[in-house]
Amino acid sequence: MQGFLDNLIRSKGFDPATWQYTQFVYLAGMAAAAFIVINFAAITAGIFSWAERRVAARMQSRVGPNRVGPGGFLQWVADAVKLLLKEDLVPDEADKLLFRIAPYFMMVGFACVFVALPFSHRLVVADMNIGLFYILAVTALIVVGIIMSGWSSNSKWSLFGAIRSAAQIISYEIPAGMALMIPVLLAGTMSTQGIIRAQGGWPWQWFLFNNPAAFAAFFIYFISALAEGNRTPFDLPEAESELVSGYNTEYSGMRFSYFFLVEWGNMWVMSALAVTMFLGGWQIPGLSPERFDALRGGLGVVAEVASLAVFAMKTLFFVFVVMWLRWTLPRIRVDQMMNMCWKYLVPASFAGVLFVAAWMLLVNAQPWLGYAMRFTLTALGAVSVTLFALRVLRNIHDTGDKFDFTSNW
Amino acid sequence: MAETLPPSQMQSPGAFGAYVRNVRDSAMSFWEGMSVTLSYMFRKPITSQYPDRMPVSVNHTIPARYRGFLEVDMDICTACQACERACPISVINIDILKGDGKTVPKLRMERFDIDIGKCMYCGLCVEPCPTGAIQHTREFEGAVMHFNNLTLRFVPDSLQPIPAYKPPKGAESFPRKPLGEITRALVKKWDEPPPAFPSKEEAAKADHGKPKAGGLDVAAMGRQLAAKALQVKEDKPKLQKVIEEAMAGTDCGDCGYPDCFGYSDAIAQGKDFSPDKCAPGGADSKAMLETILVSLKTGVVPAPAAPAPGAPSGGSESPAAPASAVPAEAVHKGPPLAQTLSKDELYKVVLDAMAGTDCGDCEYPDCDGYTKGIVYEGQTDLGRCAPGGEDTRTKLYEIMLGTKPPPK
Amino acid sequence: MTKPLEVPTMDMENKEVLRRIEITGDMLLNMGPQHPSTHGVINFLVQTDGEVMKRAIPEVGYLHRSIEKIGERCTYNGFMPYTDRVDYIAAMFANQGWAMAVERLLGMQIPKYAEYCRIIACELNRISSHLISVGTMAMDVGAVTPFPYALREREFINDLLEELCGARLTYNYLRIGGVAFDLPSGYEDKVQGFVDHFEKILDEFNRLITYNEIFIKRLAHLAPISAQMAIDYCLVGPNLRATGYGFDVRKALPYSVYPEFQFDVPVGRGEVGTKGDAWDRFWCRVEEMRQSCRILRQALAQMPQDREIMAKVPRKIKIPEGTEAYSRIESARGDMQYYVVAGAGENAHRVKIRTGSFTAMGIIDALSRGLMIADLVALIASLDVVAPEIDR
């Protein structure tokens, strides 16, 4: 974004390095970007709440909200308005200051990630060369917010939820980080735009199908991201059937909605990161990054919009997968979750990093190995997707139903 | 406890195998589970969007036997109160006015209230109704603005009581309004404010639920009927008609006979001597039948008892007789029935005195056996009928020996 | 002078718990009586040190409605709707227990066709009761989706039973001496169609949740009950059979026309964990649904065609005072027993109902030492307790 602002200043005839108002322009630019990003985050989170309810309903053979707006699309607006109008309760015995600011810690930790996400070829707020490192650091603020909310509620149930959640998130930072190191190794840079540029548009150019360890790393990252976002199967901290909502039991109104905003917005964040790191981000199949940079004029705009659409589609698909997992899987218990993290994911991610390092040396010596592996893995991936789709269709036929997506909407 | 690998297994070479198996099992089971949920996403949801996006109103899709709100068609209600007696929680309240049948109808209903807020929709009231007047409808949408409106009043104005229906003899079906029409009409008024509660003075003056003797002098009518019965004593059909006048005339079947004809015929033929079987008739009917039975046995109409100062005009008046089923001394002056009746008639009387359950507790295979034993084979142990108990024992001693049974 | 014997009461037990908690510094939590996962209004006093519990004491009685006392006031037929409410999820069984007890008081036999109608209604109700049990077990463990699937299948059964007797939950279908209504026309085909459809759904259900790895990890090895412990604590029904002891009243003390059917009784084998753990209890219920389908098929095929639904019973049922009768049936939750003493007139003198959920409460304290709170929820769900049955 800095380059964009510098170009803007130059076009007005000033030299950014010496002009006295440069910093103000930067500040204004940052404020504008922050405004857009926060709005985007909040609105996406709201829309996801509607989408989750519809997806959940259709998976459970029900209809979901469909009265407010077309297809129930404005349901989240109604919910947001309702939450805004609710009574703002602060429990008597609670630690008032911590209780009030805990949600904001979470919001900050969550919203800051958007700064480094590359939405399209040129749309990224700050393309830092330590982009990934920055993301991993900033998401840790969420833990602080959770512990503060649990402790300050002065309720045993909330405390339970907060401590569980803290243990969970902190533990799963490690496999997530290590799994994300693999794309960094493969790309040679921590900048998110750089990692995307190192991939391509076609599936066999993605890091996902690069080698088996990267494939495993994708799943390790995805599972860890689910755990960090408190999503089922790791939603023990807010297990409704056990703890009556865990660390956000005592919250009501807008403060309560912050927690859920963060949770749903996190779905976008984790999916976007997965897409960026492993699935080639905004890359359009058939258009290499260099040719993309050279495009100008109308074609450039079209390509830009196309790359934004590609990124959004991929991310939305993974958001759907996150929702799908929530409504299929049961919840893992705390000790089993820790068990899985430390005994399964951590060793696997370390082993993966070592394997990828070795693999890169091997491919350097024998490039054909790299191509062979990528095409084999892509083929395997395509085959499994087809098998899965067939299995789904067979499920429908086995019980005597028909494929029907549009009725009783 | 939690599922963890025991420490011993961690060092063994099988640990890696278990590790791989765990991962593989998880992956396979997730694959299966996720395919199921995704497949449901592409099927038609099974829920119906009630109430506005329904193709057909729900009342037309629920089965015929559905137990919704109750409905009473007053045109065919015989005021037998069988439904009121059958209800385990007393949600049906019926107030009956008795008449003599000449100036006013014999039975009129002043109040027929069903509290569907308290009703548990069990259907026990529908079964004993002889004409099918009370039925469950398919109405179930019952949100009211005023709680008192949950009492359905099928007699809209208690100052205009509705006469009971006299079903034609032998009728198999009874004409009825379409099911649900009456209840729907009442339900439409649910949002109106209910009638006000009566004030304290009005409530103090009210007579809660006792059958009012509007126009019926029980004693006088009993004597009238007794006199007529004596006149037509030999003509059994005419006697039966006279006796039937003393009953409620609802053909409810609670007496154990299929209809009033059966019961009155049994009395007329001398097979039945109990005057208290007519439940709708209640105490009035019992008094009148007792009078008739006394007169048939003694041959004279009992004289009216001197009215006690301030006593009401109704009530039983058998002289010095407790209100028991068969006033022993009054009916059986003279030799016991065992000596006056023929064996066949005696058989019928004795059989009637037993419980009639064929339980076999008397050591005979059934009631018939025990009766035959007493009548034909000289069985002297008269206390064997266990279901009948003390009641039967008393009656049998009365019939066979004409005395009170000895204490056990 | 000796002190009078101190009979331990619930109050004393709780005070003791509280006293000990003050000493050790553990937390005392109240799970319930309003809680999303205790199946009804039951309270649990949970003494816990962090995540691991020291003990969990159930407190019952929040749903006591004096049904047994009401039995002394109602006529025999009039009490039938009250038995529906003793266990409203498996109401046909409660009806049947009462009908059998009073029929034994009267010493009467009911027509075979009526027995078959009862069996069809009862087995359908067994399936629907197990569907709720299995669905809520999955939901308590975190998988929300199997619950609507189970409810959807239960809706088909509700529709069938609604067509049969007019109600969807509290049926009041049985009467003393038979059943209230005959099967409507075309009913046999509908039941057959449902059974065919349901067996496929059961397979799908197994694929979705029963053999799901996380589900197994949650429930396997959880609170295993040995057969001896189950007998000591008087567990009945699927809880008992999961421990490996295959006692089913339909086979051991056959009643009605059950001897004419061929069906298996699923017994826990410890397939994925220990024998008698929570997963075995879950699996037993799923398999029992399959066996119920089998019984339904045979019943539909073997029914007599005479359509006699009621034996001859007097309108007013009067039984000599003091006669006693006892009936035992295999309800969805196990062995349900009715003891009735006839009173003077048309009422009973005493009605006593013994249900499986009440005794299952007793074992929770013993099993919950050392469990985690998440496990306690799964344990209660696996024992399939329903609060109305506990408190009556």
Side-chain angles (χ1 to χ4, degrees), chain A residues 59-61 156-157 160 164 233 240-242 327-333 335-336 391 395 398-399, chain C residues 27-28 35 37 50-51 140-143 145 149 152 200 207 212 214 217-218 372-375:
Chain A
M59 282 185 177
Q60 293 168 0
S61 211
K156 288 175 193 161
W157 293 108
F160 254 164
R164 274 181 180 175
E240 281 142 12
S241 56
E242 294 158 30
W327 299 109
T328 309
L329 299 175
R331 203 174 287 137
I332 296 193
R333 211 175 53 210
D335 62 321
Q336 289 165 351
R391 174 86 237 205
N395 281 341
D398 272 352
T399 53
Chain C
M27 276 207 282
L28 177 68
H35 191 99
S37 320
E51 187 76 33
D140 285 345
V141 165
T145 312
Y149 292 167
R152 186 192 62 216
K200 296 190 209 127
R207 287 207 345 265
N212 186 302
I214 300 182
K217 276 209 167 69
R218 278 301 290 271
M372 296 193 221
I373 295 192
D375 288 336

Short mmCIF file of all heavy atoms in Angstrom, two decimals, chain A residues 59-61 156-157 160 164 233 240-242 327-333 335-336 391 395 398-399, chain C residues 27-28 35 37 50-51 140-143 145 149 152 200 207 212 214 217-218 372-375:
data_model
loop_
_atom_site.label_atom_id
_atom_site.label_comp_id
_atom_site.label_asym_id
_atom_site.label_seq_id
_atom_site.Cartn_x
_atom_site.Cartn_y
_atom_site.Cartn_z
N MET A 59 -28.05 -29.42 5.90
CA MET A 59 -27.43 -30.71 6.21
C MET A 59 -28.25 -31.52 7.18
O MET A 59 -28.10 -32.72 7.28
CB MET A 59 -26.03 -30.49 6.79
CG MET A 59 -25.04 -30.16 5.75
SD MET A 59 -23.42 -30.06 6.44
CE MET A 59 -22.51 -29.76 4.96
N GLN A 60 -29.10 -30.84 7.94
CA GLN A 60 -29.91 -31.55 8.91
C GLN A 60 -31.32 -31.75 8.41
O GLN A 60 -32.23 -31.99 9.20
CB GLN A 60 -29.95 -30.77 10.22
CG GLN A 60 -28.61 -30.74 10.89
CD GLN A 60 -28.57 -29.74 12.00
OE1 GLN A 60 -29.54 -29.06 12.28
NE2 GLN A 60 -27.44 -29.66 12.65
N SER A 61 -31.51 -31.62 7.10
CA SER A 61 -32.82 -31.86 6.52
C SER A 61 -33.83 -30.84 6.98
O SER A 61 -35.01 -31.14 7.13
CB SER A 61 -33.29 -33.28 6.92
OG SER A 61 -34.09 -33.83 5.95
N LYS A 156 -17.44 -19.73 37.73
CA LYS A 156 -16.62 -20.94 37.61
C LYS A 156 -16.68 -21.51 36.20
O LYS A 156 -15.69 -21.98 35.65
CB LYS A 156 -17.13 -22.00 38.57
CG LYS A 156 -16.83 -21.69 40.01
CD LYS A 156 -17.46 -22.72 40.90
CE LYS A 156 -17.45 -22.24 42.35
NZ LYS A 156 -18.40 -22.94 43.17
N TRP A 157 -17.89 -21.48 35.63
CA TRP A 157 -18.03 -22.07 34.30
C TRP A 157 -17.20 -21.29 33.29
O TRP A 157 -16.56 -21.86 32.43
CB TRP A 157 -19.49 -22.06 33.88
CG TRP A 157 -20.37 -22.95 34.71
CD1 TRP A 157 -21.28 -22.55 35.62
CD2 TRP A 157 -20.41 -24.37 34.69
NE1 TRP A 157 -21.89 -23.64 36.17
CE2 TRP A 157 -21.37 -24.77 35.62
CE3 TRP A 157 -19.70 -25.35 33.98
CZ2 TRP A 157 -21.69 -26.09 35.86
CZ3 TRP A 157 -20.02 -26.67 34.21
CH2 TRP A 157 -21.00 -27.03 35.14
N PHE A 160 -13.53 -22.17 33.56
CA PHE A 160 -13.27 -23.46 32.93
C PHE A 160 -13.02 -23.29 31.46
O PHE A 160 -12.04 -23.76 30.90
CB PHE A 160 -14.51 -24.34 33.07
CG PHE A 160 -14.36 -25.42 34.07
CD1 PHE A 160 -15.48 -26.08 34.54
CD2 PHE A 160 -13.13 -25.80 34.53
CE1 PHE A 160 -15.36 -27.07 35.46
CE2 PHE A 160 -13.00 -26.80 35.46
CZ PHE A 160 -14.12 -27.45 35.93
N ARG A 164 -9.48 -23.90 29.41
CA ARG A 164 -9.43 -24.93 28.35
C ARG A 164 -9.00 -24.30 27.05
O ARG A 164 -8.16 -24.83 26.33
CB ARG A 164 -10.82 -25.48 28.14
CG ARG A 164 -11.22 -26.60 29.01
CD ARG A 164 -12.61 -26.97 28.59
NE ARG A 164 -13.15 -28.06 29.36
CZ ARG A 164 -14.38 -28.49 29.21
NH1 ARG A 164 -15.18 -27.91 28.36
NH2 ARG A 164 -14.82 -29.48 29.93
N PRO A 233 -14.24 -29.91 15.47
CA PRO A 233 -14.34 -30.70 16.69
C PRO A 233 -13.56 -30.20 17.89
O PRO A 233 -13.39 -30.93 18.84
CB PRO A 233 -13.80 -32.06 16.23
CG PRO A 233 -12.89 -31.75 15.12
CD PRO A 233 -13.39 -30.54 14.45
N GLU A 240 -21.72 -26.11 24.30
CA GLU A 240 -23.00 -25.70 24.84
C GLU A 240 -23.61 -26.75 25.72
O GLU A 240 -24.31 -26.46 26.67
CB GLU A 240 -23.97 -25.40 23.71
CG GLU A 240 -23.75 -24.08 23.08
CD GLU A 240 -23.96 -24.17 21.59
OE1 GLU A 240 -24.49 -25.20 21.14
OE2 GLU A 240 -23.56 -23.23 20.92
N SER A 241 -23.36 -28.00 25.38
CA SER A 241 -24.06 -28.99 26.18
C SER A 241 -23.39 -29.24 27.50
O SER A 241 -23.88 -29.99 28.31
CB SER A 241 -24.16 -30.29 25.40
OG SER A 241 -22.89 -30.71 25.02
N GLU A 242 -22.23 -28.67 27.72
CA GLU A 242 -21.60 -28.94 29.00
C GLU A 242 -21.47 -27.71 29.86
O GLU A 242 -21.74 -27.72 31.03
CB GLU A 242 -20.22 -29.54 28.77
CG GLU A 242 -20.29 -30.89 28.11
CD GLU A 242 -18.99 -31.21 27.43
OE1 GLU A 242 -17.97 -30.73 27.92
OE2 GLU A 242 -19.01 -31.91 26.41
N TRP A 327 -20.76 -29.53 11.49
CA TRP A 327 -22.03 -30.23 11.62
C TRP A 327 -21.90 -31.72 11.39
O TRP A 327 -22.89 -32.42 11.32
CB TRP A 327 -23.07 -29.61 10.69
CG TRP A 327 -23.29 -28.19 11.03
CD1 TRP A 327 -22.90 -27.12 10.31
CD2 TRP A 327 -23.86 -27.68 12.24
NE1 TRP A 327 -23.21 -25.97 10.98
CE2 TRP A 327 -23.80 -26.28 12.16
CE3 TRP A 327 -24.41 -28.27 13.38
CZ2 TRP A 327 -24.28 -25.46 13.15
CZ3 TRP A 327 -24.89 -27.46 14.37
CH2 TRP A 327 -24.82 -26.07 14.26
N THR A 328 -20.71 -32.23 11.24
CA THR A 328 -20.56 -33.67 11.07
C THR A 328 -19.90 -34.33 12.27
O THR A 328 -20.27 -35.43 12.65
CB THR A 328 -19.69 -33.97 9.83
OG1 THR A 328 -20.20 -33.26 8.73
CG2 THR A 328 -19.68 -35.45 9.53
N LEU A 329 -18.92 -33.68 12.83
CA LEU A 329 -18.07 -34.37 13.79
C LEU A 329 -18.46 -34.06 15.22
O LEU A 329 -18.88 -32.96 15.53
CB LEU A 329 -16.62 -33.95 13.59
CG LEU A 329 -16.05 -34.30 12.22
CD1 LEU A 329 -14.66 -33.74 12.11
CD2 LEU A 329 -16.04 -35.80 12.05
N PRO A 330 -18.30 -35.03 16.12
CA PRO A 330 -18.49 -34.74 17.54
C PRO A 330 -17.29 -34.00 18.10
O PRO A 330 -16.32 -33.73 17.41
CB PRO A 330 -18.66 -36.11 18.18
CG PRO A 330 -18.26 -37.10 17.18
CD PRO A 330 -18.08 -36.45 15.87
N ARG A 331 -17.37 -33.70 19.35
CA ARG A 331 -16.40 -32.87 20.01
C ARG A 331 -15.31 -33.72 20.63
O ARG A 331 -15.58 -34.77 21.18
CB ARG A 331 -17.14 -32.14 21.12
CG ARG A 331 -16.54 -30.89 21.60
CD ARG A 331 -17.50 -30.27 22.58
NE ARG A 331 -18.63 -29.72 21.89
CZ ARG A 331 -19.87 -29.85 22.29
NH1 ARG A 331 -20.14 -30.51 23.38
NH2 ARG A 331 -20.84 -29.33 21.61
N ILE A 332 -14.09 -33.25 20.59
CA ILE A 332 -13.00 -34.00 21.22
C ILE A 332 -12.83 -33.51 22.65
O ILE A 332 -12.97 -32.34 22.94
CB ILE A 332 -11.70 -33.79 20.43
CG1 ILE A 332 -11.85 -34.37 19.04
CG2 ILE A 332 -10.55 -34.46 21.11
CD1 ILE A 332 -10.53 -34.48 18.34
N ARG A 333 -12.52 -34.40 23.52
CA ARG A 333 -12.35 -34.04 24.92
C ARG A 333 -11.00 -33.39 25.13
O ARG A 333 -10.09 -33.56 24.32
CB ARG A 333 -12.45 -35.30 25.75
CG ARG A 333 -13.01 -35.07 27.13
CD ARG A 333 -13.17 -36.38 27.84
NE ARG A 333 -11.94 -37.13 27.80
CZ ARG A 333 -11.91 -38.45 27.80
NH1 ARG A 333 -13.04 -39.12 27.80
NH2 ARG A 333 -10.78 -39.09 27.79
N ASP A 335 -8.37 -33.74 27.13
CA ASP A 335 -7.10 -34.49 27.19
C ASP A 335 -6.81 -35.17 25.86
O ASP A 335 -5.65 -35.28 25.46
CB ASP A 335 -7.14 -35.50 28.33
CG ASP A 335 -8.22 -36.51 28.11
OD1 ASP A 335 -9.29 -36.13 27.63
OD2 ASP A 335 -7.99 -37.70 28.41
N GLN A 336 -7.86 -35.58 25.17
CA GLN A 336 -7.64 -36.20 23.86
C GLN A 336 -7.12 -35.17 22.87
O GLN A 336 -6.30 -35.47 22.00
CB GLN A 336 -8.93 -36.79 23.33
CG GLN A 336 -9.35 -38.02 24.10
CD GLN A 336 -10.77 -38.39 23.81
OE1 GLN A 336 -11.49 -37.65 23.18
NE2 GLN A 336 -11.17 -39.53 24.31
N ARG A 391 -19.67 -41.24 -3.97
CA ARG A 391 -20.17 -41.77 -2.70
C ARG A 391 -21.36 -40.95 -2.21
O ARG A 391 -22.36 -41.49 -1.72
CB ARG A 391 -19.04 -41.72 -1.66
CG ARG A 391 -19.45 -42.11 -0.27
CD ARG A 391 -19.38 -43.57 -0.08
NE ARG A 391 -20.66 -44.09 0.33
CZ ARG A 391 -20.85 -45.19 1.00
NH1 ARG A 391 -19.81 -45.91 1.36
NH2 ARG A 391 -22.04 -45.60 1.32
N ASN A 395 -25.09 -42.31 -1.58
CA ASN A 395 -25.83 -42.16 -0.32
C ASN A 395 -27.26 -41.77 -0.60
O ASN A 395 -28.19 -42.27 0.02
CB ASN A 395 -25.20 -41.07 0.56
CG ASN A 395 -23.99 -41.58 1.28
OD1 ASN A 395 -23.82 -42.77 1.41
ND2 ASN A 395 -23.17 -40.69 1.75
N ASP A 398 -29.18 -44.70 -2.07
CA ASP A 398 -29.34 -45.85 -1.18
C ASP A 398 -30.57 -45.73 -0.31
O ASP A 398 -31.21 -46.72 0.02
CB ASP A 398 -28.12 -45.99 -0.27
CG ASP A 398 -27.05 -46.82 -0.92
OD1 ASP A 398 -27.34 -47.39 -1.99
OD2 ASP A 398 -25.95 -46.90 -0.37
N THR A 399 -30.88 -44.56 0.13
CA THR A 399 -32.04 -44.43 1.01
C THR A 399 -33.29 -44.07 0.23
O THR A 399 -34.31 -43.75 0.83
CB THR A 399 -31.81 -43.36 2.08
OG1 THR A 399 -31.41 -42.16 1.42
CG2 THR A 399 -30.73 -43.78 3.04
N MET C 27 -13.89 -27.43 43.89
CA MET C 27 -15.04 -26.64 43.47
C MET C 27 -16.31 -27.47 43.60
O MET C 27 -16.30 -28.66 43.35
CB MET C 27 -14.88 -26.25 42.00
CG MET C 27 -14.03 -25.02 41.80
SD MET C 27 -14.49 -24.20 40.29
CE MET C 27 -13.69 -25.22 39.10
N LEU C 28 -17.38 -26.81 43.98
CA LEU C 28 -18.67 -27.50 44.01
C LEU C 28 -19.54 -26.87 42.94
O LEU C 28 -19.89 -25.70 43.02
CB LEU C 28 -19.33 -27.34 45.38
CG LEU C 28 -20.71 -27.98 45.47
CD1 LEU C 28 -20.58 -29.49 45.39
CD2 LEU C 28 -21.39 -27.60 46.75
N HIS C 35 -30.42 -27.63 32.73
CA HIS C 35 -29.15 -27.76 32.04
C HIS C 35 -29.44 -28.40 30.71
O HIS C 35 -30.30 -29.27 30.63
CB HIS C 35 -28.21 -28.64 32.88
CG HIS C 35 -26.81 -28.62 32.40
ND1 HIS C 35 -25.85 -27.83 32.97
CD2 HIS C 35 -26.21 -29.28 31.40
CE1 HIS C 35 -24.71 -28.02 32.34
NE2 HIS C 35 -24.90 -28.88 31.38
N SER C 37 -28.10 -30.65 29.12
CA SER C 37 -27.83 -32.06 28.87
C SER C 37 -28.27 -33.05 29.90
O SER C 37 -28.08 -34.21 29.67
CB SER C 37 -26.35 -32.34 28.75
OG SER C 37 -25.75 -31.39 28.08
N GLY C 50 -10.63 -28.92 39.30
CA GLY C 50 -10.30 -28.61 37.92
C GLY C 50 -11.20 -29.37 36.98
O GLY C 50 -12.43 -29.29 37.06
N GLU C 51 -10.63 -30.17 36.16
CA GLU C 51 -11.42 -30.86 35.15
C GLU C 51 -11.90 -32.22 35.64
O GLU C 51 -12.91 -32.74 35.21
CB GLU C 51 -10.55 -31.02 33.90
CG GLU C 51 -11.25 -31.56 32.71
CD GLU C 51 -12.14 -30.54 32.04
OE1 GLU C 51 -11.81 -29.35 32.06
OE2 GLU C 51 -13.19 -30.94 31.52
N ASP C 140 -25.02 -34.80 22.93
CA ASP C 140 -24.29 -34.45 24.14
C ASP C 140 -22.80 -34.58 23.95
O ASP C 140 -22.01 -33.93 24.63
CB ASP C 140 -24.73 -35.35 25.30
CG ASP C 140 -26.08 -34.95 25.82
OD1 ASP C 140 -26.53 -33.85 25.50
OD2 ASP C 140 -26.69 -35.75 26.54
N VAL C 141 -22.41 -35.45 23.02
CA VAL C 141 -20.98 -35.61 22.77
C VAL C 141 -20.48 -34.55 21.79
O VAL C 141 -19.29 -34.38 21.62
CB VAL C 141 -20.74 -37.05 22.26
CG1 VAL C 141 -19.41 -37.22 21.65
CG2 VAL C 141 -20.89 -37.99 23.41
N GLY C 142 -21.39 -33.84 21.16
CA GLY C 142 -20.99 -32.72 20.32
C GLY C 142 -21.43 -32.80 18.89
O GLY C 142 -21.42 -31.80 18.19
N ALA C 143 -21.82 -33.99 18.43
CA ALA C 143 -22.26 -34.10 17.04
C ALA C 143 -23.73 -33.72 16.99
O ALA C 143 -24.58 -34.46 17.44
CB ALA C 143 -22.07 -35.53 16.56
N THR C 145 -25.64 -33.09 14.32
CA THR C 145 -26.47 -33.53 13.19
C THR C 145 -27.23 -34.82 13.39
O THR C 145 -28.36 -34.92 12.94
CB THR C 145 -25.60 -33.64 11.93
OG1 THR C 145 -24.83 -32.46 11.83
CG2 THR C 145 -26.44 -33.76 10.71
N TYR C 149 -31.58 -36.05 12.44
CA TYR C 149 -31.87 -37.25 11.64
C TYR C 149 -32.73 -38.22 12.44
O TYR C 149 -33.71 -38.77 11.94
CB TYR C 149 -30.57 -37.96 11.23
CG TYR C 149 -29.73 -37.18 10.25
CD1 TYR C 149 -28.42 -37.58 10.00
CD2 TYR C 149 -30.21 -36.08 9.58
CE1 TYR C 149 -27.62 -36.89 9.12
CE2 TYR C 149 -29.42 -35.38 8.70
CZ TYR C 149 -28.13 -35.79 8.47
OH TYR C 149 -27.34 -35.10 7.59
N ARG C 152 -36.17 -36.96 12.66
CA ARG C 152 -36.89 -37.06 11.41
C ARG C 152 -37.48 -38.45 11.26
O ARG C 152 -38.64 -38.61 10.88
CB ARG C 152 -35.94 -36.75 10.26
CG ARG C 152 -36.61 -36.69 8.91
CD ARG C 152 -35.60 -36.67 7.82
NE ARG C 152 -34.82 -37.88 7.84
CZ ARG C 152 -33.55 -37.96 7.56
NH1 ARG C 152 -32.88 -36.90 7.23
NH2 ARG C 152 -32.91 -39.11 7.62
N LYS C 200 -32.49 -48.93 6.11
CA LYS C 200 -31.43 -48.27 5.33
C LYS C 200 -30.90 -47.07 6.09
O LYS C 200 -29.70 -46.78 6.08
CB LYS C 200 -31.98 -47.80 3.99
CG LYS C 200 -32.43 -48.93 3.12
CD LYS C 200 -32.73 -48.42 1.73
CE LYS C 200 -33.79 -49.27 1.07
NZ LYS C 200 -34.90 -48.53 0.55
N ARG C 207 -22.89 -45.22 9.73
CA ARG C 207 -21.72 -44.67 9.03
C ARG C 207 -21.44 -43.26 9.49
O ARG C 207 -20.28 -42.84 9.54
CB ARG C 207 -21.96 -44.69 7.53
CG ARG C 207 -21.88 -46.08 6.99
CD ARG C 207 -21.47 -46.16 5.56
NE ARG C 207 -21.55 -44.93 4.85
CZ ARG C 207 -22.59 -44.55 4.12
NH1 ARG C 207 -23.62 -45.32 4.00
NH2 ARG C 207 -22.56 -43.40 3.51
N ASN C 212 -17.73 -43.42 13.95
CA ASN C 212 -16.87 -42.25 13.80
C ASN C 212 -15.77 -42.30 14.84
O ASN C 212 -15.99 -42.58 16.00
CB ASN C 212 -17.73 -41.00 13.98
CG ASN C 212 -16.96 -39.74 13.69
OD1 ASN C 212 -15.94 -39.47 14.31
ND2 ASN C 212 -17.44 -38.96 12.76
N ILE C 214 -13.88 -40.08 16.32
CA ILE C 214 -13.93 -39.19 17.49
C ILE C 214 -14.99 -39.67 18.46
O ILE C 214 -14.81 -39.66 19.68
CB ILE C 214 -14.22 -37.74 17.06
CG1 ILE C 214 -13.13 -37.25 16.13
CG2 ILE C 214 -14.31 -36.85 18.25
CD1 ILE C 214 -13.33 -35.84 15.70
N LYS C 217 -13.64 -42.46 20.31
CA LYS C 217 -12.68 -42.03 21.31
C LYS C 217 -13.38 -41.44 22.53
O LYS C 217 -12.90 -41.58 23.65
CB LYS C 217 -11.77 -40.95 20.71
CG LYS C 217 -10.61 -41.46 19.93
CD LYS C 217 -9.46 -40.46 20.01
CE LYS C 217 -8.17 -41.06 19.52
NZ LYS C 217 -8.18 -41.30 18.07
N ARG C 218 -14.51 -40.79 22.32
CA ARG C 218 -15.21 -40.19 23.46
C ARG C 218 -15.86 -41.26 24.32
O ARG C 218 -15.93 -41.15 25.53
CB ARG C 218 -16.30 -39.22 22.97
CG ARG C 218 -15.86 -37.86 22.61
CD ARG C 218 -15.21 -37.13 23.74
NE ARG C 218 -16.12 -36.77 24.80
CZ ARG C 218 -16.82 -35.64 24.87
NH1 ARG C 218 -16.73 -34.77 23.91
NH2 ARG C 218 -17.59 -35.39 25.89
N MET C 372 -14.07 -36.90 33.89
CA MET C 372 -14.09 -35.46 33.65
C MET C 372 -15.54 -35.02 33.46
O MET C 372 -16.41 -35.82 33.20
CB MET C 372 -13.29 -35.15 32.41
CG MET C 372 -11.86 -35.50 32.59
SD MET C 372 -10.93 -34.79 31.28
CE MET C 372 -9.85 -36.11 30.98
N ILE C 373 -15.73 -33.73 33.53
CA ILE C 373 -17.11 -33.24 33.44
C ILE C 373 -17.71 -33.56 32.08
O ILE C 373 -18.88 -33.94 31.97
CB ILE C 373 -17.15 -31.73 33.71
CG1 ILE C 373 -16.73 -31.48 35.14
CG2 ILE C 373 -18.53 -31.20 33.44
CD1 ILE C 373 -17.00 -30.11 35.60
N ALA C 374 -16.90 -33.45 31.04
CA ALA C 374 -17.42 -33.82 29.72
C ALA C 374 -17.85 -35.28 29.71
O ALA C 374 -18.83 -35.65 29.10
CB ALA C 374 -16.35 -33.58 28.67
N ASP C 375 -17.11 -36.11 30.45
CA ASP C 375 -17.48 -37.52 30.52
C ASP C 375 -18.75 -37.73 31.31
O ASP C 375 -19.51 -38.66 31.03
CB ASP C 375 -16.36 -38.33 31.18
CG ASP C 375 -15.18 -38.46 30.28
OD1 ASP C 375 -15.36 -38.35 29.07
OD2 ASP C 375 -14.07 -38.68 30.80
#
